[in-house]
Amino acid sequence: MNSSASIDRSGKVPGKLRSGLASTRTLPREQLRLPTGISVIRRVKPAGRLFLPSHATWLVALVLTVGCRRDLPEDLMVVTQSPVIVSADFAAVDLLDTRYPPGSRVVVVRPGSKGTVERVLSAGFHSAGGPVVEPAGERVLFVGKAVADAAWQIYESSLAGASPVQKTAVPRGAMGPVYLPDGRIAFSSPVPRHGRVPVGTDSPELYAKPLSDKPLTRLTFGLAGATEATVLADGRILFVSGGTIFSPVTNQALFTINSDGTEISPFAAQHDGRSQVTRPRQTADGRVLFLSSEFASSGWDGQLEEVRMARPFSSRATVQGMTGVRLRAVEPAGDGRVLVTTPGNDRADFGIYALNTGEIVELGREPVFDDPRWHEVEVAVRRPGPRPMGRLSTVTDAMRTGRLLCLDANDIGIGSTDAVARSVRFFRPSSRGNLESLGEIPLQADGSFLAEVPADTLLGLETLDENGRVVGRLPPSFWVRPGENRSCVGCHEPHNSCPENRRPLAVRQPSVKLDPDGGDLAHKRAKSP
Amino acid sequence: MIVVSVAVVLGLGGLLASLNLSPGKRQTVRIFIHEKKRALGMESGGRDLAHMQERSGLKDVSNVSCRHCHGVRIEQLPWNKPRQRHPTPEGMLLSPNGGSLYVALADLDQVIEIDTASRTIKRRTDVPGAPFGLASTPGGDRLFVGCRATDTVVAIDVDRLEITGTAPVGIMPVGIGFAQTPSGDRLIVANAGSDDVSVIDVGSMTELTRVKTGREPYGVKTSPDGRFAFVASRLAQSPKDDTSPAAELTVIDTVRSRAVKRYSLESAHLSESVALDPRAGWILTPMVRVRNLIPITQVARGWVMSSGIALARPESMEIVQLPLDEANAYFADPADLVVHPQGHRAYVSSGGGDVVTVLDLERMRDWLEKASPVERRRAIHNLELADDYVIARIPTRRNPSRLAISPEGDMLYVAERLEDSILIVETKTHAAVGRIELGGGKSDDPVRRGERIFTTAAKTFQNQFSCRSCHPDGHVDGLTYDFDGDGIGDNMLDNRSLKGLAGTWPFKWNGQNPSLAVQCGPRFAKVLMRTDPFTDDELEDLVAFIESMPPARARSAHFAALTPAESRGRDVFFATHTPGGEAIPRERQCHYCHAPPLYTSRMKTDVGTRGPTSRIDEFDTPHLLGIGASAPYLHDGRARSLEELWTIYQTNDLHGVSSYMNKHQLNDLVEFLKTL
């Protein structure tokens, strides 16, 4: 699969749109006058000749990058407001329709302004939400629907109030934008249909929009959803997924990838029970906060939980004092406070509250911001500070494979079985919906193997004993990017384990290249010991 | 660049001299000129071509410039030029009553006394020779200082703060401990450069004996009864083949002046301190758990190294290594470790992470009691374990190193080495309650700024390690690594010293990096740091620091002229004929490739040293300055000693004609090499 995958049903962005997306700096634009009154800047590819950027393009860029840098208060908040009353005729089509019903908007407010909106960033949109402020504190991304039947797209505005610029044009919609450390934008796509469990190609994946005129870069490959992305201070993308496409939405958990899609790793909340996870956010004191709710519950509200960065797999807990408190969003304020959106104490509409932190965490008595005419359902805080750590990509686009080094496939942690694996078999999902074998390679005497595997492909593996019986099985749940060298200590070893200092036998010989034409894999679980 | 091009074409070298360029940019310009000349055929034409072919023995001289042989003068190298001096607190000791804090300022050749009540510098005295480790008598009337540059220990009368005696010791004394024994008072001095410990009779200030230790003994702690001294060695012994390296924790009987126990710390190194747990009796030492045998395919999850402490149980040979790092945060380069007098807390400074970690020793003991042998053995690999016993991380300024805790245990003093200050921490609250400025901390010195970059872990993914983690004091860690950029399992690489590196370009074993700026640039960030590369300014400062480091020293400061063996070895090195009168081909004479003054030709050469993992035949000719202290040898670290280059890995006289040498001549040659 091409590393710069595109994102429609067939896996390709139509040429016209792709050109428009990829050429935001070199192609002219047209102003799309929407019924709602907003002018959306959209680049189109001219027929037969190359256009240079118009003065207006530069003007927009100037406004976004220079003109917006007038003194802005550091504590500005960008808020999603949704109407308190939604028309009874409204029927949600997709997932974001339920999150941001018609009329939802993104506004800039000042704390303590008693409900006074300073600026509406999404003026004229049918609905909008999901604001994210860049680390420099100047620009804002949000997701918006220009007209009722349009797809959700990502837009960028400035806190100073420049007109929004459309950053994506994805046929099946985009959501959950974040700024990556190098200035690129990542987002999830497609936007799932309302009321359906997204599977297969309906399941949203993460993409990055390059700064140059290159096509979108696909970052995740075949998970059951890759949504709610946020960027950790160390530069990794933290996101929510429901496992793999073969076991969707049984338990949503947190995963990380590097900003180039390499090193897919579980982060926390795996095997913790069946729950929906939204809005993970890292705090300055070494925690990741998120909202958790039962799948049976409707809506986006959840309970505030946390894991500690120091031991994320064994520290999941409801934030003390917040049991039973219904929240829609959580956002570290950067000054040590944590802001949440909640109906609050005896209030009907959602407002923004700060958590009083102490031995017992509790909601502040008065909201930080609340307009009774609106639900304040999301908040992002302008907090200029150091950007997350960057990273030079290790992806080599010209390559079609990556390598996987396992130090000891028989290392499954303390309490391992007595069965000893002698070989490992790789498989991947096939287009027919079953598993396709990529081949089998013997393990070295120390249990190590070094395999060259297809890149950007969801992979799983089974370890087999000398009689070909399955000893251990890892369902399709990981991938390598082109040119990536990926390593693991063992198979299903304890999370956050460092390796022993031992030179694996597998590295003394060339890697084994797997044969993608190995045919379908007959499922051998029945033979497992 | 237009100016440079014009200058090159017109041969106006003087024009460049008039340009006010920074060292890094000047280097870039030099490379540019070199390439321009090559492109224009100006560097290999006419008489030059014949001369260069004749001198180099190469037909293709496209990679040879005049400066490979000409124009290098030792006295012009950056490490030989005057530089700014900074207080740089290297050693720290509290007086027995806690009233005075003595600080060794190595860079200024001074020891100062700080009044802990007023938190001001009370007195200072000159102590030549880069004073480092400190110890005192139990009564506090005498102070003893190890001086790294002069290979001596000096005694200081505290009343007068004057030197009253000097004892010569081994090479580069660092850690020092005082012991009262039935046979008299003793000093135990760790000689990092000669891999031994000097036992000194305090009364006469004479060295009684030397005890062999692990490689680079560094930290010393004596038992309360004075009977034993515990010595932590900083480097792991050079491993053989693919076996894991191990550092040594040596227990010395101070009465008999003999080593009575040698603990082997598997895959551990960079232990620079020792402390004792007064309750459980454990011997504690901070350490880095290195994973150099695994290909560096990633750095996440401690794949390259992680920090910890090693606990040695005195009544057995059991060693338990426990992590200091967390699942998503690392605290690199643990430098010093002190234990609270009550034995319930320990404090570890993280020189790369700019924190002091507070350990709850009671929780740690509880865990050790409950853990199975397998859990104890694998504990160092469990990044979620430290949360059990780490109760605080106290932020500091840059590069916290030495620690001292007051006799009552209420105050902790932290030497902020590269900020020239001492942080004072209240141990009850873990709060910083004061700071003593030592009169430096300026940021106008590129070398100082460069050292701050060199020692910080903030430039690597999750703060996992610093440049210093592999290059302690800019030198070697004695290990080989497998970078994945050139293939997994291919080209195992010996870690080369950064000391004495100025002027010895090109860099990297394959000689592909023309400058230090390239060596430490984006590729380094991609392969090892796994973060954004250094900025141009940072890179310039980093290069300034690296080039400021003089070569390592493998020879005692007590010798002035060459010894007879060294002189004979010099004759062997520069020999043009065998003792039998047979001419040695010029390209196989030692000094042909290893030409003075840097002892390198700066060219790649095939001398038959290709190893089992090598994918190339030609390697950069390493300079030999400080070579005696840089084991192991060869590009892949196969040779554990200089002797092995000829006894095990001799290459049919391709790597210099050596087959005629007998044992004595070879020993003489090695002795000479150690003088460089």
Side-chain angles (χ1 to χ4, degrees):
Chain A
M1 189 176 291
N2 192 297
S3 64
S4 300
S6 44
I7 50 177
D8 71 352
R9 189 179 296 274
S10 66
K12 294 179 181 175
V13 167
K16 181 179 177 184
L17 282 176
R18 184 169 58 209
S19 300
L21 280 171
S23 308
T24 51
R25 283 201 297 175
T26 57
L27 296 178
R29 65 198 177 104
E30 66 175 13
Q31 277 201 329
L32 187 60
R33 183 69 64 181
L34 301 173
T36 49
I38 185 174
S39 295
V40 175
I41 300 167
R42 177 180 168 191
R43 276 78 180 177
V44 292
K45 185 179 180 183
R49 67 191 185 100
L50 181 66
F51 279 71
L52 294 172
S54 69
H55 291 94
T57 305
W58 289 113
L59 187 59
V60 170
L62 192 65
V63 169
L64 284 174
T65 58
V66 179
C68 303
R69 287 183 185 163
R70 62 188 170 89
D71 291 338
L72 292 168
E74 291 216 344
D75 55 353
L76 277 184
M77 298 188 298
V78 187
V79 176
T80 301
Q81 292 182 316
S82 66
V84 171
I85 299 172
V86 178
S87 167
D89 298 335
F90 169 66
V93 175
D94 57 44
L95 204 60
L96 288 195
D97 286 342
T98 66
R99 203 171 203 172
Y100 313 118
S104 297
R105 61 182 193 168
V106 175
V107 300
V108 178
V109 303
R110 290 173 190 261
S113 57
K114 302 293 181 187
T116 305
V117 168
E118 182 150 320
R119 196 170 300 115
V120 179
L121 296 182
S122 62
F125 277 70
H126 176 73
S127 50
V132 176
V133 183
E134 67 163 345
E138 304 288 344
R139 298 179 297 170
V140 181
L141 291 174
F142 64 86
V143 60
K145 183 179 267 194
V147 293
D149 57 352
W152 292 92
Q153 303 295 347
I154 309 299
Y155 295 84
E156 186 176 63
S157 184
S158 71
L159 278 169
S163 295
V165 175
Q166 185 175 338
K167 305 299 287 188
T168 63
V170 185
R172 298 167 69 198
M175 60 181 183
V178 288
Y179 284 103
L180 299 181
D182 59 4
R184 290 178 301 153
I185 294 166
F187 59 89
S188 299
S189 181
V191 178
R193 305 286 290 179
H194 175 54
R196 291 190 209 165
V197 175
V199 293
T201 55
D202 289 337
S203 199
E205 302 281 359
L206 279 171
Y207 295 84
K209 185 179 187 309
L211 296 172
S212 61
D213 295 343
K214 291 182 179 175
L216 295 175
T217 304
R218 185 169 169 177
L219 301 177
T220 61
F221 299 86
L223 294 170
T227 58
E228 305 286 320
T230 186
V231 175
L232 299 174
D234 62 26
R236 290 177 298 169
I237 302 173
L238 176 71
F239 63 95
V240 173
S241 179
T244 74
I245 57 175
F246 287 92
S247 54
V249 200
T250 54
N251 172 44
Q252 285 195 328
L254 296 166
F255 294 81
T256 59
I257 52 173
N258 295 324
S259 57
D260 57 2
T262 55
E263 293 190 37
I264 167 72
S265 302
F267 177 82
Q270 280 77 18
H271 323 300
D272 283 347
R274 182 184 169 87
S275 64
Q276 176 174 283
V277 174
T278 56
R279 306 196 76 85
R281 293 289 187 273
Q282 184 181 15
T283 64
D285 63 356
R287 293 178 294 160
V288 169
L289 301 172
F290 56 93
L291 302 182
S292 171
S293 61
E294 293 299 317
F295 280 110
S297 67
S298 60
W300 293 93
D301 300 346
Q303 186 168 266
L304 187 60
E305 294 195 30
E306 67 177 6
V307 294
R308 298 181 45 237
M309 297 286 286
R311 53 190 338 169
F313 288 100
S314 50
S315 61
R316 180 174 179 176
T318 301
V319 174
Q320 198 173 13
M322 296 300 289
T323 304
V325 179
R326 178 182 160 209
L327 304 179
R328 182 69 61 87
V330 56
E331 189 73 22
D335 56 2
R337 295 179 306 154
V338 172
L339 300 180
V340 296
T341 60
T342 175
N345 304 317
D346 305 323
R347 288 174 182 269
D349 68 301
F350 280 75
I352 300 168
Y353 289 77
L355 295 183
N356 294 327
T357 54
E359 291 209 358
I360 301 292
V361 177
E362 58 182 5
L363 280 181
R365 197 174 286 268
E366 293 297 324
V368 175
F369 182 88
D370 185 29
D371 183 340
R373 298 166 298 175
W374 296 86
H375 288 303
E376 281 74 32
V377 294
E378 293 174 326
V379 58
V381 183
R382 179 178 189 262
R383 42 175 174 166
R387 68 174 175 86
M389 185 69 85
R391 185 184 184 95
L392 294 180
S393 175
T394 54
V395 172
T396 308
D397 286 323
M399 295 181 70
R400 299 181 62 189
T401 59
R403 285 185 292 186
L404 178 67
L405 170 65
C406 177
L407 301 183
D408 182 4
N410 283 308
D411 183 351
I412 56 174
I414 296 170
S416 59
T417 68
D418 293 332
V420 177
R422 301 293 185 197
S423 62
V424 60
R425 178 162 52 198
F426 284 82
F427 49 87
R428 66 182 175 189
S430 75
S431 55
R432 286 171 289 175
N434 50 7
L435 296 176
E436 178 188 21
S437 173
L438 295 170
E440 186 177 319
I441 60 175
L443 299 180
Q444 299 298 315
D446 61 354
S448 64
F449 67 83
L450 176 60
E452 187 174 344
V453 296
D456 295 351
T457 301
L458 191 67
L459 298 170
L461 56 83
E462 289 173 332
T463 54
L464 310 170
D465 69 9
E466 55 195 4
N467 298 314
R469 291 181 302 184
V470 175
V471 175
R473 186 167 192 273
L474 182 65
S477 54
F478 71 94
W479 61 82
V480 295
R481 301 294 329 275
E484 178 184 0
N485 291 326
R486 186 71 205 275
S487 301
C488 55
V489 173
C491 289
H492 215 274
E493 78 282 6
H495 294 300
N496 290 319
S497 286
C498 302
E500 295 276 1
N501 188 25
R502 183 172 53 79
R503 187 163 164 80
L505 293 173
V507 307
R508 301 182 190 207
Q509 45 202 298
S511 57
V512 179
K513 189 166 186 175
L514 289 168
D515 176 14
D517 301 321
D520 286 354
L521 177 71
H523 198 52
K524 300 272 182 69
R525 185 175 287 280
K527 289 187 180 178
S528 298
Chain B
M1 281 304 156
I2 293 172
V3 174
V4 173
S5 301
V6 170
V8 169
V9 172
L10 298 180
L12 299 177
L15 179 60
L16 292 175
S18 65
L19 298 176
N20 186 21
L21 297 174
S22 61
K25 286 172 182 156
R26 217 174 292 137
Q27 176 79 336
T28 306
V29 169
R30 279 200 293 267
I31 296 164
F32 181 80
I33 291 173
H34 177 65
E35 290 173 351
K36 277 283 177 196
K37 281 186 170 179
R38 278 170 48 189
L40 295 171
M42 293 170 65
E43 198 162 43
S44 58
R47 185 173 61 84
D48 282 345
L49 178 63
H51 169 70
M52 291 162 72
Q53 286 176 329
E54 194 261 335
R55 293 299 301 176
S56 69
L58 300 172
K59 282 186 177 177
D60 178 7
V61 291
S62 56
N63 287 317
V64 182
S65 78
C66 302
R67 293 186 66 246
H68 277 93
C69 299
H70 303 286
V72 175
R73 288 196 300 196
I74 287 283
E75 60 274 17
Q76 288 186 336
L77 293 174
W79 51 262
N80 240 337
K81 290 185 175 175
R83 60 174 177 81
Q84 283 192 43
R85 300 282 172 174
H86 304 273
T88 319
E90 295 280 18
M92 204 161 63
L93 179 77
L94 269 169
S95 62
N97 64 8
S100 293
L101 180 68
Y102 300 102
V103 184
L105 309 179
D107 209 27
L108 298 183
D109 284 348
Q110 289 181 345
V111 170
I112 59 171
E113 181 184 14
I114 293 171
D115 177 57
T116 55
S118 64
R119 297 173 183 174
T120 55
I121 298 173
K122 195 166 144 190
R123 296 185 293 175
R124 66 176 71 219
T125 186
D126 292 336
V127 179
F132 194 87
L134 296 166
S136 80
T137 54
D141 57 328
R142 294 181 82 189
L143 196 63
F144 305 96
V145 189
C147 299
R148 279 197 300 186
T150 50
D151 298 345
T152 56
V153 168
V154 299
I156 293 176
D157 178 88
V158 168
D159 281 345
R160 292 177 288 153
L161 207 65
E162 287 179 2
I163 295 174
T164 56
T166 302
V169 292
I171 301 172
M172 283 179 54
V174 279
I176 183 168
F178 180 92
Q180 280 183 316
T181 77
S183 307
D185 293 346
R186 299 282 184 263
L187 289 176
I188 309 299
V189 183
N191 302 314
S194 48
D195 300 344
D196 51 28
V197 155
S198 293
V199 181
I200 292 176
D201 174 66
V202 172
S204 61
M205 283 300 282
T206 55
E207 185 181 42
L208 299 175
T209 187
R210 290 204 194 162
V211 182
K212 208 67 186 164
T213 63
R215 188 171 178 192
E216 283 202 16
Y218 216 84
V220 177
K221 182 75 177 179
T222 52
S223 60
D225 62 3
R227 179 73 195 277
F228 298 104
F230 309 96
V231 181
S233 290
R234 184 162 74 164
L235 297 193
Q237 298 287 4
S238 299
K240 185 73 177 170
D241 299 329
D242 286 343
T243 55
S244 56
E248 183 177 302
L249 179 61
T250 315
V251 182
I252 292 171
D253 183 324
T254 56
V255 176
R256 294 187 291 159
S257 299
R258 291 176 56 186
V260 292
K261 198 174 282 187
R262 296 180 187 274
Y263 293 94
S264 179
L265 278 55
E266 188 210 337
S267 294
H269 71 161
L270 300 189
S271 295
E272 297 181 346
S273 167
V274 187
L276 300 175
D277 173 355
R279 291 194 187 175
W282 289 95
I283 309 163
L284 310 175
T285 181
M287 49 159 271
V288 168
R289 176 77 181 201
V290 70
R291 299 181 176 88
N292 65 306
L293 298 177
I294 306 169
I296 303 177
T297 52
Q298 63 185 55
V299 300
R301 286 178 289 284
W303 205 259
V304 180
M305 66 184 77
S306 58
S307 297
I309 59 170
L311 298 88
R313 198 185 282 276
E315 64 271 22
S316 70
M317 292 303 284
E318 183 187 9
I319 296 278
V320 182
Q321 298 178 5
L322 295 173
L324 287 173
D325 296 330
E326 299 170 358
N328 293 288
Y330 294 74
F331 304 91
D333 302 341
D336 201 3
L337 189 158
V338 295
V339 174
H340 192 281
Q342 292 177 7
H344 66 304
R345 299 272 189 276
Y347 305 87
V348 184
S349 57
S350 167
D354 297 343
V355 298
V356 171
T357 296
V358 185
L359 307 173
D360 186 322
L361 291 181
E362 288 165 356
R363 290 191 200 174
M364 189 181 285
R365 291 183 204 110
D366 286 347
W367 186 88
L368 287 163
E369 288 295 320
K370 293 173 187 167
S372 69
V374 173
E375 286 174 323
R376 290 215 291 258
R377 189 178 64 76
R378 298 181 73 144
I380 188 66
H381 305 308
N382 181 358
L383 290 173
E384 298 208 356
L385 181 59
D387 200 44
D388 271 357
Y389 44 77
V390 171
I391 56 173
R393 309 271 191 188
I394 304 168
T396 71
R397 284 180 181 171
R398 255 333 337 273
N399 197 218
S401 52
R402 297 296 114 190
L403 302 172
I405 192 162
S406 61
E408 296 78 22
D410 56 337
M411 292 292 170
L412 178 73
Y413 298 88
V414 185
E416 296 168 318
R417 184 175 163 274
L418 293 177
E419 298 283 354
D420 304 323
S421 55
I422 310 287
L423 178 70
I424 306 170
V425 175
E426 186 182 67
T427 55
K428 190 175 180 181
T429 59
H430 306 143
V433 294
R435 180 171 272 124
I436 303 164
E437 303 289 352
L438 303 180
K442 294 177 188 171
S443 60
D444 61 348
D445 178 6
V447 172
R448 168 53 68 100
R449 290 196 305 265
E451 188 173 7
R452 287 177 184 155
I453 295 165
F454 188 82
T455 55
T456 184
K459 298 293 177 185
T460 54
F461 179 67
Q462 294 178 339
N463 301 348
Q464 297 219 7
F465 44 81
S466 68
C467 305
R468 187 187 185 276
S469 302
C470 293
H471 296 283
D473 298 340
H475 198 36
V476 297
D477 61 4
L479 302 175
T480 55
Y481 292 88
D482 180 5
F483 292 90
D484 73 337
D486 52 6
I488 295 176
D490 297 337
N491 295 319
M492 292 291 289
L493 292 177
D494 172 44
N495 181 17
R496 297 171 71 169
S497 178
L498 304 181
K499 297 181 76 93
L501 213 55
T504 65
W505 46 267
F507 303 103
K508 211 175 171 186
W509 273 111
N510 61 16
Q512 285 187 347
N513 288 336
S515 68
L516 283 172
V518 173
Q519 173 79 13
C520 306
R523 182 178 162 77
F524 186 74
K526 184 174 177 178
V527 170
L528 198 56
M529 295 157 59
R530 309 276 171 155
T531 56
D532 281 336
F534 296 116
T535 65
D536 289 348
D537 288 344
E538 288 171 337
L539 204 51
E540 197 165 305
D541 290 340
L542 183 62
V543 170
F545 168 68
I546 293 173
E547 292 193 332
S548 77
M549 287 189 285
R553 182 164 62 90
R555 189 167 185 263
S556 172
H558 305 309
F559 298 125
L562 294 183
T563 65
E566 291 164 349
S567 294
R568 292 193 300 272
R570 181 184 58 189
D571 293 341
V572 172
F573 185 85
F574 288 102
T576 56
H577 293 74
T578 67
E582 189 178 340
I584 301 173
R586 201 177 55 189
E587 67 274 14
R588 297 190 198 178
Q589 296 168 10
C590 301
H591 61 280
Y592 179 77
C593 293
H594 296 288
L598 298 176
Y599 294 87
T600 174
S601 63
R602 299 193 185 98
M603 284 190 284
K604 291 190 290 184
T605 318
D606 177 5
V607 290
T609 54
R610 179 178 176 134
T613 68
S614 309
R615 295 293 173 266
I616 56 174
D617 294 307
E618 288 189 335
F619 298 95
D620 175 51
T621 302
H623 75 87
L624 300 185
L625 303 180
I627 192 71
S630 305
Y633 302 102
L634 295 178
H635 61 277
D636 53 5
R638 266 174 299 155
R640 290 181 298 171
S641 65
L642 288 168
E643 287 84 352
E644 284 190 1
L645 287 170
W646 297 283
T647 57
I648 298 179
Y649 301 108
Q650 62 89 11
T651 56
N652 291 328
D653 287 345
L654 283 174
H655 188 193
V657 173
S658 59
S659 55
Y660 72 87
M661 292 183 207
N662 59 31
K663 175 184 172 184
H664 302 293
Q665 289 164 324
L666 181 56
N667 286 344
D668 290 343
L669 175 62
V670 168
E671 288 304 307
F672 170 69
L673 293 174
K674 289 178 180 176
T675 69
L676 298 178

